[in-house]
Amino acid sequence: MGKNTRIFTDVDYEKDGKQVGWLYLPYSVTRSAYGNISIPIAVIKNGKGPTVFLMAGNHGDEYEGQVALCKLIRTLEPGEVHGRVIVMPAANLPAALAGARVSPLDDGNLNRVFPGDPDGSPTYAIAHYINSVLFPMTDFYHDLHAGGSSLDYIPFASMRKSDSPDLDAKAMAALKAFGAPVSLVWEHTLDTGFANAAAIQHRIVTLGGEFGGGGSVSVSGIRIVEQGIRNFLRHAGCLAADASAGGNQTPTRLMEVKNRHYFVLAPEAGLFEPVVELGDNVTEGQLCGQVLFVDNPKREPVPAYFRTAGMVICKRRFGRVERGDCVAHLATDWKG
Ligand code: CA
């Protein structure tokens, strides 16, 4: 038996209409003994039908999804909806308000702590609520990301390989329907505790995506998200057919990240000089860049090489590196 969440809310997930309210996470501090962290949530419901859960602000310094979902909450009306749309535009609110990847309250990275802990620090409690309350009522989920302050990305929507071919086929259909210029299949990631991996455990049709980066707000990324979200809602059967305009599927380039050799890590601490740009096609063994030592310029620079061929889809934004920082990663055309 799982423990119960401490989070309470004034929205009713079963009620028709549009509700914009908050999840209240008790957080007792000097300035507020009976205080709560108030995380925004919207429920837009119209009768029976599928539930689509849209989330942004999982990382606080990734903004295209936050922008698009704030606007969606103000514009999407229950009359257009068939079923239920649940929207969290700033899932890790303390991180979003700080413009930071992790929460300033507990250094928590929401996208590394799933399935969370109801009695843990705020980030763990938020993950637990999403996993134990929201995921069980969800049929389709989208977690909108970007590269954060430290990474730049070529924008793409994505899905994660699961252990179920049937679920993967449904996610692939949703990914194509979303219609980003690039669509990517994650067969390998460097870490665990992801929201998307937890959603897949609930057998939810799950998408993600990186729609910008560098802690900035990408105009083209917002366009891709706003159009893609409409396409995703329509694909899920959650937008009434007559609400759609120009719903033709846009062609997408299907790509994948297959293993850890797609990632290039800094070999030393220092100043990283990249020699490739986003979108470059590289070969196995090609130079990615080199680490220089400004405190000892006579020291030989240390090179970092690509360990497989592919297209540079992600690059580190900051110049200074520690050993083990990801400085670039590749994607290759999807082989199926
Ligand atoms: Ca992210």
Side-chain angles (χ1 to χ4, degrees):
M1 278 291 282
K3 291 179 288 182
N4 287 332
T5 183
R6 291 175 292 133
I7 293 175
F8 58 97
T9 183
D10 42 19
V11 299
D12 178 350
Y13 295 109
E14 302 306 324
K15 192 171 135 189
D16 279 346
K18 187 194 304 202
Q19 305 165 75
V20 186
W22 288 270
L23 306 177
Y24 297 100
L25 169 57
Y27 191 65
S28 180
V29 290
T30 301
R31 58 154 286 277
S32 184
Y34 296 163
N36 293 278
I37 301 166
S38 307
I39 303 153
I41 188 162
V43 181
I44 301 150
K45 183 173 178 296
N46 183 13
K48 294 224 177 303
T51 293
V52 178
F53 173 23
L54 304 171
M55 194 173 107
N58 185 342
H59 290 138
D61 60 344
E62 304 178 2
Y63 298 113
E64 292 76 12
Q66 296 182 42
V67 169
L69 294 190
C70 282
K71 290 163 73 181
L72 183 77
I73 286 171
R74 292 175 56 83
T75 54
L76 186 65
E77 296 303 331
E80 300 176 76
V81 169
H82 174 72
R84 178 168 56 182
V85 183
I86 298 172
V87 190
M88 278 183 87
N92 198 353
L93 184 78
L97 294 182
R101 180 174 186 81
V102 301
S103 172
L105 304 181
D106 58 3
D107 272 341
N109 181 338
L110 181 59
N111 210 33
R112 296 293 185 278
V113 303
F114 276 78
D117 176 355
D119 299 323
S121 64
T123 305
Y124 283 80
I126 293 167
H128 176 268
Y129 185 88
I130 291 166
N131 190 62
S132 67
V133 178
L134 297 178
F135 282 166
M137 53 176 108
T138 298
D139 302 299
F140 294 83
Y141 172 58
H142 205 312
D143 185 20
L144 298 153
H145 281 254
S149 303
S150 74
L151 299 174
D152 282 321
Y153 262 109
I154 289 178
F156 62 80
S158 63
M159 62 171 277
R160 180 177 295 274
K161 250 320 200 17
S162 76
D163 56 8
S164 159
D166 177 53
L167 189 61
D168 287 351
K170 289 176 179 163
M172 178 56 78
L175 184 62
K176 288 177 174 169
F178 187 92
V182 174
S183 299
L184 185 130
V185 180
W186 290 109
E187 287 201 44
H188 181 86
T189 40
L190 289 177
D191 213 341
T192 58
F194 298 102
N196 276 353
I200 285 168
Q201 294 298 312
H202 289 265
R203 293 300 182 242
I204 296 166
V205 177
T206 297
L207 296 186
E210 310 284 346
F211 298 100
S216 68
V217 185
S218 160
V219 174
S220 60
I222 290 171
R223 273 197 209 111
I224 292 167
V225 170
E226 290 193 312
Q227 184 58 52
I229 287 296
R230 289 262 162 189
N231 294 342
F232 184 59
L233 288 170
R234 205 173 289 126
H235 173 78
C238 223
L239 265 191
D242 61 357
S244 69
N248 290 334
Q249 199 159 302
T250 13
T252 187
R253 180 178 181 184
L254 268 174
M255 305 194 79
E256 62 189 343
V257 174
K258 285 192 85 70
N259 56 54
R260 69 186 174 83
H261 297 300
Y262 280 55
F263 297 81
V264 181
L265 307 184
E268 290 281 345
L271 170 59
F272 188 74
E273 178 202 2
V275 298
V276 294
E277 296 282 11
L278 282 177
D280 283 359
N281 291 299
V282 302
T283 54
E284 182 183 340
Q286 187 174 325
L287 185 68
C288 175
Q290 60 182 0
V291 180
L292 308 172
F293 307 97
V294 291
D295 58 329
N296 183 7
K298 71 175 191 287
R299 186 174 164 195
E300 185 83 17
V302 177
Y305 300 102
F306 291 102
R307 293 178 293 170
T308 188
M311 185 186 83
V312 181
I313 201 163
C314 174
K315 268 184 73 181
R316 180 174 171 81
R317 177 114 175 158
F318 299 146
R320 297 291 307 180
V321 292
E322 298 289 326
R323 184 182 299 112
D325 284 340
C326 176
V327 291
H329 84 75
L330 300 173
T332 49
D333 283 314
W334 189 62
K335 298 277 187 340

